Amino acid sequence: MRWLVAVVGSVGAFLAVSVPWAVLSDGGDDPWDVIGPVAGVVAAGVLAALGWWASQAGGAGTRRVRQSARGGSNIKQTGGSHGTGAGSPGGAVREDVRQRARSDGNGDIDQVGGNRA
């Protein structure tokens, strides 16, 4: 859906620049020699910005894992996916794993994050 918004926004930017300019210009021989490239550059800039936005994490297919642990004994944190199908092609899921652990120095800490297929 985000990519559709990016493309529609780019076309809208082209039309927002070119149509008023063509209507308000005096006519000349061929004002589209200037209007077309200028509107195209504006549309390309809008497409680049919206394309960047569309590619950012946080949309569908993103899994966020937040873990925190504190203690003096053994601490084991596991985040992300593991087991069968975790690394299956075509099933790419972005993961944003953040883990935090604290110990008083008497315990072992074992943290694992991400895909462990």
Side-chain angles (χ1 to χ4, degrees):
M1 185 54 132
R2 288 182 174 212
W3 288 105
L4 180 62
V5 170
V7 171
V8 169
S10 177
V11 170
F14 181 86
L15 294 175
V17 170
S18 64
V19 171
W21 191 348
V23 169
L24 297 175
S25 68
D26 291 336
D29 291 335
D30 193 1
W32 283 99
D33 285 346
V34 176
I35 295 172
V38 170
V41 168
V42 170
V46 169
L47 182 61
L50 291 177
W52 174 84
W53 168 76
S55 67
Q56 295 305 300
T62 300
R63 179 178 23 225
R64 290 180 181 239
V65 178
R66 300 287 184 262
Q67 296 177 325
S68 182
R70 188 181 297 188
S73 61
N74 294 337
I75 297 173
K76 182 176 182 181
Q77 291 182 317
T78 304
S81 58
H82 66 284
T84 60
S88 60
V93 174
R94 290 181 139 175
E95 290 184 326
D96 181 10
V97 179
R98 182 179 300 166
Q99 295 175 321
R100 185 180 301 175
R102 181 180 298 176
S103 177
D104 63 1
N106 295 329
D108 297 331
I109 297 176
D110 180 16
Q111 290 183 314
V112 180
N115 188 342
R116 295 162 318 281

